[in-house]
């Protein structure tokens, strides 16, 4: 009866109320930033005395914001491409390979996801200082790739494990080259895994801040670094405007994911 | 199918003629080489180098560790870190369990709404969320104003630059990480077990404390350990909401390296964090098996 919503009796109202409160707790800060970004108060008085788009204009009139957003996008797209390609190839090896230490290797590939980012950030920063990659685009892409790869491998591996390999074998038996069978039979079948890998990899890089703080140079800053350095000085509403745009991006990505999932089901 | 026919035929011939070897299957290792090279070069090597540095820099020996573990300043940092991580874990479980429970059994339509909110919160940029809490919790912020308006406090509470703010902000960030997996665990519990208990005369409380909670416990423990270990190494939120006087371990590591350029001590602190993290994951593996880390293994 505790696992049947309609048989909960008086508990139902208490638990539902609690869940609604928790949902409000999760949603409120996000709505709050959006409201704040349109508020006229420099000192973030809430509720705002007037409504304005001033902060958005200020955001767009400062070329440094746009520049850092473009840098972030460039890095994130590169990371996404490499992460999906390398992750796909590795996932084939991990799910179908027959070699000693396969499980240990899988664990190794997932380690960057569970270790505290700050440890990795300090370590890669030290290495990149030595080999001259700190503060370069290549450096950013490599560092973010290490963090993104586990997400890609998890998504693609689970898609490959759910794919019936005999379909690919059938294509080979019918005369397709093994590579052609992989490209034209297997890849379309696991496209939801590839899509998830791409989205996760993009987001991981786009939102990554810890490694970026260490590596950023005055000439190469990602958007999170720009927000971070501004936040350390003051809580200007310009950040609220930038954050609201980021929330907008999240919503777009979520809708896109939902659409793709729906499209794949039908 | 083809395999069995082949080997059956093979065993017949085996006595008289050398067995025909099946065409060698590629063993798949070359496929993992690019990822392996990348991980070894840019993950294993730099982290090992950092740890080596912690015992060599500035001079060989365990001096850095003695300094790190022997001073009150750093002891305070460790205490802050464990205190916040423990509090965040307790709060996340306390809030997360009922929500996960409801999410598992709620009517689909409402469940989808809650689910969307969880994803939105989880996917929104971390800095944006932390910024929201910095403003919400500040001295003149809406929460202090509301509490004063309600007559609950006379003077604004100092929640930013204080571990209170860090705890609230971190709990906010960790909640989805416990609700989502726990929801799956509760969904997999067979309702018939609770039905049976009710038929045998157990009341709601007994059903909850004797059946539902024990059955969900592995999920709760796994989620709690994950939240705890993530909180231990968290950098951004503690740094922004806690201020410099309430430092946590990740922030200390960053500061040792970035501001003080003390690579040896920073490396030692990183090593401590690394060991604690790995120890907790090892505990988790031992308690709950490898299912969570490497799914699909044999």
């Amino acid at each position: 009866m505790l696992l049947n919503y309609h048989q909960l009796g008086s508990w139902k109202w208490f638990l539902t109320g609690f869940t609604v409160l928790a949902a409000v707790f999760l949603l409120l800060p996000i709505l709050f930033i959006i409201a704040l970004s349109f508020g006229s108060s420099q000192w973030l008085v809430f509720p705002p005395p007037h409504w304005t788009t001033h902060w958005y204009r200020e955001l767009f009139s400062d070329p440094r914001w746009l520049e850092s957003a473009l840098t972030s996008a460039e890095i994130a797209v590169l990371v996404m491409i490499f992460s999906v390609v390398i992750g796909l190839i590795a996932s084939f090896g991990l799910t179908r390979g027959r070699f000693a230490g396969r499980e240990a290797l899988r664990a190794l590939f997932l380690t960057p996801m569970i270790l505290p980012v700050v440890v990795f950030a300090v370590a890669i920063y030290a290495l990149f200082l030595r080999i001259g990659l700190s503060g370069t685009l290549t450096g950013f892409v490599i560092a973010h790739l290490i963090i993104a790869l586990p997400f890609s491998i998890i998504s693609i591996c689970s898609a490959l494990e759910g794919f019936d390999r005999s379909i690919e074998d059938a294509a080979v038996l019918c005369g397709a080259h093994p590579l052609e069978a992989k490209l034209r039979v297997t890849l379309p079948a696991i496209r939801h895994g590839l899509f998830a890998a791409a989205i996760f990899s993009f987001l991981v890089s786009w939102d990554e801040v810890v490694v970026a703080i260490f590596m950023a140079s005055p000439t190469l800053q990602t958007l999170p670094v720009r927000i971070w350095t501004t936040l350390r000085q003051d809580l200007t509403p310009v950040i609220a405007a930038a954050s609201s745009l980021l929330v907008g991006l999240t919503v777009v990505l979520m809708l896109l994911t939902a659409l793709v999932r729906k499209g794949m089901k039908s | 199918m083809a395999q069995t026919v082949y080997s059956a035929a093979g065993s017949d011939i085996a006595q008289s003629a050398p067995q025909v070897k099946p065409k060698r299957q590629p063993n798949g290792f070359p496929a993992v080489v690019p990822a392996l090279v990348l991980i070894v070069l840019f993950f294993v090597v730099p982290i090992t180098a950092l740890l080596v540095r912690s015992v060599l820099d500035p001079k060989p020996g365990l001096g850095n560790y003695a300094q790190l573990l022997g001073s009150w300043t750093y002891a305070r940092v460790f205490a802050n870190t464990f205190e916040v991580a423990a509090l965040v874990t307790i709060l996340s479980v306390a809030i997360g369990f009922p929500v996960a429970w409801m999410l598992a059994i709620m009517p689909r339509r409402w469940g989808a709404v809650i689910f969307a909110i969880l994803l939105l919160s989880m996917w929104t940029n971390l800095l944006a969320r932390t910024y929201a809490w910095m403003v919400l919790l500040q001295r003149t912020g809406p929460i202090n104003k509301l509490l004063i308006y309600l007559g609950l406090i006379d003077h604004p509470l100092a929640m930013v630059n204080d571990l209170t703010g860090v705890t609230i902000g971190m709990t906010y960030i960790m909640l989805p990480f416990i609700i989502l997996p726990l929801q799956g665990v509760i969904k997999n519990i067979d309702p018939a077990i609770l039905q049976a208990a009710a038929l045998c005369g157990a009341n709601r409380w007994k059903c909850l404390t004797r059946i539902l909670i024990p059955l969900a416990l592995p999920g709760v423990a796994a989620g709690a350990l994950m939240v705890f270990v993530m909180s231990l190494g968290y950098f951004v939120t503690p740094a922004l909401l806690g201020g410099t006087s309430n430092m946590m371990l990740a922030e200390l590591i960053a500061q040792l390296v970035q501001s003080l350029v003390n690579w040896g001590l920073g490396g030692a602190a990183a090593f401590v964090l690394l060991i604690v993290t790995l120890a907790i994951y090892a505990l988790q593996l031992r308690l709950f098996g490898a299912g969570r880390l490497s799914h699909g293994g044999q």
Side-chain angles (χ1 to χ4, degrees):
Chain A
M1 69 190 169
L2 288 184
L3 286 176
N4 184 325
Y5 185 70
H6 300 289
Q7 289 174 21
L8 277 173
S10 55
W11 283 23
K12 182 163 125 185
W13 303 113
F14 171 73
L15 284 167
T16 308
F18 189 88
T19 305
V20 169
L21 277 182
V24 168
F25 172 65
L26 285 170
L27 190 59
L28 216 53
I30 295 169
L31 298 181
F32 176 71
I33 315 171
I34 299 174
L36 215 55
S37 73
F38 289 107
S40 61
S41 164
Q42 166 90 56
W43 314 113
L44 305 160
V45 173
F46 195 88
H50 301 288
W51 300 100
T52 171
T53 53
H54 174 79
W55 310 115
Y56 286 91
R57 266 179 281 142
E58 196 171 319
L59 180 73
F60 285 111
S61 66
D62 184 345
R64 286 174 303 174
W65 281 103
L66 190 65
E67 209 174 286
S68 60
L70 285 177
T71 308
S72 274
E74 189 182 356
I75 294 171
V77 168
L78 285 170
V79 168
M80 180 176 85
I81 295 169
F82 283 116
S83 167
V84 171
V85 172
I86 298 176
L88 175 67
I89 300 172
S91 299
F92 268 113
L94 286 177
T95 49
R96 297 178 173 182
R98 298 276 169 273
F99 52 88
R102 193 182 57 147
E103 286 311 303
L105 211 58
R106 189 195 287 258
L108 174 69
F109 285 170
L110 301 189
T111 322
M113 195 171 74
I114 62 166
L115 277 197
V117 191
V118 74
V119 174
F120 169 66
V122 169
I124 196 86
Y125 175 55
L127 176 75
F128 281 179
L129 277 181
R130 191 156 296 180
I131 61 178
L133 279 179
S134 180
T136 66
L137 195 77
T138 318
F140 268 107
V141 173
I142 292 175
H144 284 179
L145 188 54
I146 297 286
I147 309 178
L149 207 51
F151 292 89
S152 183
I153 289 181
I154 286 182
S155 312
I156 301 176
C157 271
S158 78
L160 271 178
E161 273 153 14
F163 168 72
D164 185 357
R165 198 184 167 176
S166 51
I167 303 174
E168 185 184 313
D169 293 339
V172 175
L173 281 177
C174 291
H177 186 270
L179 191 66
E180 191 191 358
K182 278 194 178 62
L183 286 177
R184 295 185 47 186
V185 177
T186 313
L187 286 199
I190 59 161
R191 63 191 188 280
H192 59 283
L194 295 173
F195 178 75
I199 291 261
F200 280 133
S201 301
F202 180 88
L203 267 184
V204 162
S205 167
W206 173 261
D207 283 340
E208 203 290 321
V209 59
V210 184
V211 175
I213 291 171
F214 282 94
M215 295 223 311
S217 70
T219 50
L220 193 74
Q221 281 198 341
T222 61
L223 187 59
V225 175
R226 180 108 190 92
I227 297 180
W228 169 271
T229 41
T230 315
L231 262 186
R232 290 236 126 173
Q233 289 153 11
D234 68 326
L235 294 178
T236 162
V238 176
I239 307 247
S243 300
S244 303
L245 292 177
L246 287 175
V247 172
L249 179 76
T250 309
V251 173
V252 169
L253 285 180
M254 277 176 66
L255 289 178
L256 197 67
T257 316
L259 270 180
V260 167
R261 197 166 292 163
K262 214 174 191 178
M264 278 169 187
K265 260 189 200 149
S266 60
Chain B
M1 189 66 186
Q3 203 75 31
T4 50
V5 171
Y6 186 88
S7 57
S11 62
D12 272 352
I13 309 166
Q15 276 93 28
S16 53
Q19 191 174 341
V20 186
K21 272 199 175 164
K23 194 174 154 235
R24 235 181 105 239
Q25 285 270 319
N27 71 358
F29 186 74
V32 298
V33 168
L36 185 61
V37 169
L38 200 68
I39 299 268
V40 167
L41 274 186
F42 297 109
F43 184 74
V44 178
V45 167
I47 287 182
T48 316
L50 184 69
L51 303 183
V52 169
R53 216 163 170 178
S54 76
V55 288
L56 291 182
D57 195 351
K59 56 178 190 293
L62 291 176
N64 287 318
Y65 291 91
Q67 193 184 346
L68 191 69
L69 301 174
S71 104
W72 281 111
T73 330
Y74 298 133
R76 173 96 194 278
V77 173
F78 284 112
N80 282 343
T81 310
F82 279 95
E83 188 191 324
V84 168
L87 268 175
V88 168
T89 308
I90 292 169
L91 284 173
S92 304
V93 170
I95 302 173
F97 183 80
V99 177
W101 176 13
M102 278 295 101
L103 202 56
I105 65 172
M106 242 180 186
R108 217 161 232 270
R109 186 174 291 267
W110 291 106
V113 173
I114 306 274
F115 205 73
I117 293 177
L118 278 170
L119 283 187
L120 177 67
S121 154
M122 206 161 113
W123 282 24
T124 295
N125 186 291
L126 176 64
L127 285 168
R129 288 179 284 165
T130 306
Y131 170 76
W133 284 107
M134 289 169 83
V135 179
L136 279 168
L137 294 173
Q138 67 178 337
R139 223 163 241 285
T140 55
I143 291 185
N144 265 321
K145 268 193 189 161
L146 183 71
L147 291 176
I148 292 176
Y149 177 78
L150 293 174
L152 293 173
I153 50 171
D154 297 325
H155 304 287
L157 301 171
M159 290 180 283
V160 179
N161 291 329
D162 188 86
L163 291 181
T164 316
V166 180
T167 308
I168 296 174
M170 296 270 291
T171 305
Y172 176 80
I173 286 156
M174 294 301 165
L175 260 182
F177 289 103
I178 196 145
I179 294 177
L180 290 176
L182 194 53
Q183 176 263 137
V185 170
I186 295 179
K187 218 171 195 161
N188 281 335
I189 297 175
D190 187 355
I193 303 173
L194 285 141
Q195 216 85 31
L199 282 177
C200 295
N203 64 21
R204 283 171 208 282
W205 278 110
K206 269 211 169 123
C207 281
L208 178 66
T209 54
R210 297 272 181 85
I211 299 172
L212 187 60
I213 292 181
L215 282 179
L217 206 57
V220 172
L225 277 181
M226 191 173 77
V227 167
F228 185 73
V229 83
M230 278 170 75
S231 306
L232 280 182
Y234 229 64
F235 172 72
V236 171
T237 309
L240 288 174
L241 278 167
T244 39
S245 52
N246 298 292
M247 205 180 276
M248 282 173 60
L249 191 50
E251 207 183 341
L252 174 73
I253 297 171
Q255 206 172 59
L256 284 173
V257 167
Q258 231 178 356
S259 320
L260 306 173
V261 205
N262 190 338
W263 286 95
L265 200 54
F271 189 57
V272 172
L273 180 56
L274 195 75
I275 288 297
V276 174
T277 306
L278 288 180
I280 293 174
Y281 274 113
L283 181 74
Q284 181 160 10
L285 278 181
R286 167 150 287 199
L287 289 179
F288 309 111
R292 289 188 57 84
L293 276 182
S294 60
H295 46 103
Q298 269 96 36

